[in-house]
Amino acid sequence: MTRPGPITVALTHGAYVPGVGTIAVVIDQLRAGTTITMALTNGARRVIPVTSVDEALARRDSLRRENPGRRVLLGGERGGVLIPGFDLGNSPREYTRERVEDADIVFTTTNGTAALHAARSSPLVVVACLANLSAAAAVVDREPRPISIICAGTHGLVGLDDALVAGAMVRCLPDRPLAEDDAARLCLTWWDDAAEDIRNALASSLGGRGLIALNQHEDLEFCAQIDITSVVPRPMPDGSLVPA
Amino acid sequence: MTRPGPITVALTHGAYVPGVGTIAVVIDQLRAGTTITMALTNGARRVIPVTSVDEALARRDSLRRENPGRRVLLGGERGGVLIPGFDLGNSPREYTRERVEDADIVFTTTNGTAALHAARSSPLVVVACLANLSAAAAVVDREPRPISIICAGTHGLVGLDDALVAGAMVRCLPDRPLAEDDAARLCLTWWDDAAEDIRNALASSLGGRGLIALNQHEDLEFCAQIDITSVVPRPMPDGSLVPA
């Protein structure tokens, strides 16, 4: 049997060096990755990640023209505040079945979209978060190719929140060797340290401190849950995310 | 009193974003930073870091022409092997007082030189390693400016060895706030985890695994020592390193 390929972690999407034939696991734990995963879990047809508010509005309009009967919702935030004219913010708790079932969701996310863009040459890309941890690990572990875990980070900065999930994912793939780069080992020690109190670990992170400043403590609790869904978002060639 | 400026950690020199007026702490723990520190501790006049073997030979020749009476030694390695025509390798244990006192040392180091180059616009740059940890922390903590810790890494890869020293340095600067970026927090959790057995922590790192492959276990023991010197290398405008 061939030995499965090694795991690398890029601590920001800018640090990711695309490898030929490498599987990409994109992590944006607080909150875009978790929100997209919950939207698809609760029956959204697909989530279309875009970078800007203008792009979101244009995409919504063209989707409505193409499919007049379809529900199209706009989701996302700027500085933690609902965007005027948008239907949903960036809290995974908003993406309930009542709100999102059967809808197309155009979703603005700066860091998550950039990380997905960085991964675009990979033959298999999945979005992983604590909510779908084991399911995402199972999807990528089916293939013997090398795995790159790409932390979205925040505007180029390293985030303990994404690093935590990267470490958890490495822990879920025990048969894989680690690549030479030590970023995966660093995330693993952080996860092993933090696993006892995930809520507090997330609270201490770049994204977590931002949520606390916005008084979004309930999102921290929500995002600290592990394996609450088996839905693993995967981008189609047009960039839209659907369940793998 | 003004609050002292925050600490940032760049996990590779490529990840370092120069800040105006920021103090730079350059770390290349295994082994160039430790070796340079021990050379100056043992009386070398200065250490001149260069990138290539050709550059080292040319620099040695021009130094000898300029100062015919001075001892100039060549130090460094390629792939762990002594370079033909060089006087010293890259083990800190070779740089004894008998060998290096009063000498100028031209030293080839790819990652360390690149990290020093990245820091060149800083008003104060120091080389830190476990051997001079407290002394280096004391030098930079005298100034209230922000501090950037730059891990040299290895050919663009993150190393647990440099990350360990970065965490130790953050722990030595308790009055400093941490910058928004979480890389410093990640190093701190790694240091707090590993501090009980530094030798093993270094052995598990990118640089440490390389030393073990070269059968250089004694260098691991040597480099695991903390605060064995108060000498802190600092680059002059011409790039040569002298005690701060």
Side-chain angles (χ1 to χ4, degrees):
Chain A
M1 225 185 86
T2 338
R3 204 181 175 208
I7 311 180
T8 317
V9 172
L11 288 165
T12 60
H13 63 77
Y16 172 60
V17 181
V20 174
T22 298
I23 295 170
V25 177
V26 172
I27 295 173
D28 187 356
Q29 172 66 14
L30 296 178
R31 296 173 285 177
T34 307
T35 300
I36 290 165
T37 300
M38 293 319 298
L40 294 177
T41 297
N42 288 325
R45 279 185 72 246
R46 53 179 180 163
V47 177
I48 300 156
V50 298
T51 307
S52 72
V53 172
D54 286 347
E55 201 184 342
L57 296 167
R59 195 68 185 268
R60 191 254 322 256
D61 294 345
S62 70
L63 284 170
R64 283 189 174 159
R65 270 196 307 274
E66 289 159 24
N67 306 284
R70 186 163 307 153
R71 275 176 72 220
V72 184
L73 301 174
L74 290 178
E77 53 150 14
R78 283 299 175 272
V81 179
L82 186 69
I83 303 163
F86 272 47
D87 306 288
L88 296 154
N90 189 23
S91 166
R93 292 179 298 121
E94 294 177 69
Y95 290 71
T96 56
R97 189 162 291 277
E98 294 67 40
R99 303 291 297 275
V100 303
E101 193 161 29
D102 291 324
D104 281 358
I105 299 171
V106 181
F107 189 78
T108 64
T109 152
T110 316
N111 305 300
T113 303
L116 285 164
H117 188 74
R120 69 195 178 284
S121 65
S122 291
L124 173 63
V125 181
V126 301
V127 173
C129 53
L130 292 179
N132 71 2
L133 186 67
S134 300
V139 168
V140 296
D141 211 22
R142 272 181 225 143
E143 300 217 34
R145 298 167 186 269
I147 294 174
S148 285
I149 299 175
I150 307 171
C151 296
T154 302
H155 305 305
L157 304 181
V158 173
L160 281 177
D161 40 353
D162 294 343
L164 185 76
V165 184
M169 180 60 69
V170 173
R171 191 51 81 211
C172 286
L173 298 165
D175 297 335
R176 299 267 174 171
L178 301 184
E180 257 213 304
D181 185 287
D182 278 346
R185 291 174 185 83
L186 202 54
C187 293
L188 203 50
T189 64
W190 165 228
W191 165 253
D192 287 344
D193 241 41
E196 270 175 35
D197 189 345
I198 290 167
R199 194 253 170 224
N200 267 345
L202 290 177
S204 74
S205 74
L206 176 54
R209 300 188 302 273
L211 286 178
I212 289 168
L214 294 167
N215 217 13
Q216 302 278 349
H217 297 83
E218 288 174 41
D219 274 1
L220 277 181
E221 310 289 346
F222 188 93
C223 294
Q225 301 175 96
I226 298 182
D227 288 341
I228 57 171
T229 175
S230 58
V231 169
V232 180
R234 181 178 174 183
M236 296 293 96
D238 68 357
S240 67
L241 294 156
V242 299
Chain B
M1 227 185 88
T2 339
R3 204 181 174 208
I7 312 181
T8 317
V9 171
L11 287 165
T12 59
H13 64 77
Y16 172 60
V17 181
V20 174
T22 297
I23 296 169
V25 177
V26 171
I27 295 174
D28 187 356
Q29 171 66 14
L30 295 178
R31 297 171 286 177
T34 306
T35 300
I36 290 165
T37 299
M38 294 320 296
L40 294 177
T41 297
N42 287 326
R45 279 185 74 245
R46 53 180 180 162
V47 176
I48 301 158
V50 297
T51 306
S52 72
V53 172
D54 285 348
E55 202 184 340
L57 295 167
R59 196 68 186 268
R60 191 254 322 257
D61 294 345
S62 70
L63 284 169
R64 283 188 174 160
R65 271 197 305 276
E66 289 160 24
N67 306 283
R70 185 163 307 152
R71 277 176 72 220
V72 185
L73 300 174
L74 291 179
E77 53 148 15
R78 282 299 175 272
V81 179
L82 186 69
I83 302 162
F86 272 46
D87 306 291
L88 297 153
N90 189 22
S91 167
R93 293 178 297 119
E94 294 177 69
Y95 290 71
T96 57
R97 190 161 289 277
E98 294 67 40
R99 303 290 298 277
V100 303
E101 193 160 29
D102 291 326
D104 281 0
I105 298 170
V106 181
F107 190 79
T108 64
T109 151
T110 316
N111 305 300
T113 302
L116 286 164
H117 188 74
R120 69 194 178 283
S121 64
S122 291
L124 173 62
V125 180
V126 301
V127 173
C129 53
L130 293 179
N132 72 3
L133 184 68
S134 299
V139 168
V140 296
D141 211 22
R142 271 180 225 141
E143 299 217 34
R145 298 166 186 269
I147 294 174
S148 285
I149 300 175
I150 307 170
C151 297
T154 302
H155 305 304
L157 303 181
V158 173
L160 282 178
D161 41 352
D162 294 342
L164 184 77
V165 185
M169 179 63 68
V170 174
R171 190 52 82 210
C172 286
L173 298 165
D175 298 335
R176 301 266 173 172
L178 301 184
E180 258 212 306
D181 185 285
D182 279 345
R185 292 173 185 83
L186 202 53
C187 292
L188 202 50
T189 64
W190 164 227
W191 165 254
D192 288 344
D193 240 39
E196 270 175 37
D197 190 346
I198 292 167
R199 193 254 170 223
N200 266 346
L202 290 178
S204 74
S205 75
L206 177 54
R209 301 188 302 272
L211 287 178
I212 290 167
L214 295 166
N215 216 15
Q216 303 278 348
H217 297 82
E218 288 175 40
D219 274 1
L220 277 181
E221 310 288 346
F222 188 92
C223 293
Q225 301 176 95
I226 298 182
D227 287 342
I228 56 170
T229 176
S230 58
V231 168
V232 180
R234 182 180 170 180
M236 297 292 95
D238 69 357
S240 67
L241 295 156
V242 299

